[in-house]
Amino acid sequence: MLAFRNLGDVGGPAFSVDEVAALAASYKIKDGPNAAGDYFERPGRASDRFPPPFANEQAARAALGGGYPPDMSVLAKARGYSRGFPTFLFDAIPGFSYQEHGVDYIASLLQGYQDAPKDVKIPDGQYYNIYMPGRRIGMIPPLVDGSVTYDDKTPQTIEQYAQDVAAFLMWSAEPHLNQRKSVGMGVISFLVVFAGLLYFVKRRIWSHVEH
């Protein structure tokens, strides 16, 4: 759902124009047909969307042992969990509902890989994860301590990596969330002021009318 240029948007990773162009060019994009009617591959451009890692669904299932990966660009909104009593009552109230279910789910899942208990048998090609429904997951543990280096001396731990991945996927699911919230607050403030003005105008107009 995202294009490379979105990485430079306000509120996002804040990539520069050159960084976006360099990242896009590192991908091969299938394009065409050309004048001869053939499809071809070319370096990516900033306006291109992120290409899928597999050519089609069948290729994805074959590479992943039959499983089909979800669309990561909306994963933070598509996944979640149910909160227990009484906190789930607040989720039904607009403005008070907890909106980080998907982010918490992703961050926890990435940190939930453990050795299976002795009485639990895990089939070949699957892994034990305490946060996955059924405690079994087909995704290889993607994070390892020290695999990514931060320039600002941020801890190079699985916990930190999981939080960063979850935050990025939340942004990819709602790249304009901050702007929408800012606009929403402005609209609500205007409506409150407008309602107050209407109330006092009504009181002014009807103040001389006998009931």
Side-chain angles (χ1 to χ4, degrees):
M1 303 294 291
L2 288 176
F4 291 105
R5 64 170 179 266
N6 295 127
L7 295 173
D9 291 347
V10 176
F15 281 22
S16 67
V17 175
D18 292 338
E19 289 173 332
V20 170
L23 179 63
S26 67
Y27 285 81
K28 294 295 183 181
I29 305 297
K30 187 175 181 179
D31 202 350
N34 56 18
D38 298 324
Y39 286 87
F40 59 93
E41 288 188 342
R42 59 167 175 78
R45 296 189 289 259
S47 58
D48 292 321
R49 294 187 183 275
F50 283 90
F54 302 101
N56 49 57
E57 180 177 341
Q58 289 74 15
R61 292 186 181 278
L64 300 175
Y68 185 63
D71 182 359
M72 292 293 180
S73 65
V74 295
L75 189 67
K77 291 180 67 67
R79 293 291 188 268
Y81 60 92
S82 298
R83 301 204 293 169
F85 181 84
T87 53
F88 80 93
L89 297 174
F90 296 98
D91 294 336
I93 305 175
F96 293 91
S97 61
Y98 187 68
Q99 301 179 8
E100 282 73 38
H101 296 83
V103 177
D104 288 347
Y105 175 83
I106 294 171
S108 298
L109 186 72
L110 293 174
Q111 301 174 71
Y113 289 89
Q114 296 181 4
D115 293 331
K118 294 181 179 180
D119 58 341
V120 177
K121 183 175 178 58
I122 301 297
D124 293 339
Q126 293 191 340
Y127 302 86
Y128 185 79
N129 190 301
I130 60 175
Y131 296 110
M132 183 71 181
R135 302 293 190 270
R136 299 174 182 178
I137 186 171
M139 181 174 67
I140 298 174
L143 303 178
V144 179
D145 286 338
S147 58
V148 177
T149 302
Y150 293 97
D151 296 333
D152 58 356
K153 297 182 179 180
T154 299
Q156 302 171 29
T157 61
I158 291 179
E159 180 182 2
Q160 182 64 50
Y161 298 153
Q163 293 175 358
D164 290 344
V165 169
F168 177 78
L169 291 179
M170 184 63 230
W171 169 80
S172 68
E174 286 277 8
H176 304 295
L177 180 62
N178 291 336
Q179 293 92 319
R180 290 199 300 105
K181 286 186 174 181
S182 298
V183 172
M185 288 299 297
V187 171
I188 295 299
S189 300
F190 168 78
L191 291 177
V192 169
V193 174
F194 186 64
L197 291 174
L198 288 179
Y199 172 75
F200 288 112
V201 168
K202 180 260 183 186
R203 294 266 302 184
R204 176 77 175 181
I205 294 176
W206 289 87
S207 61
H208 304 295
V209 178
E210 296 182 2
H211 298 281

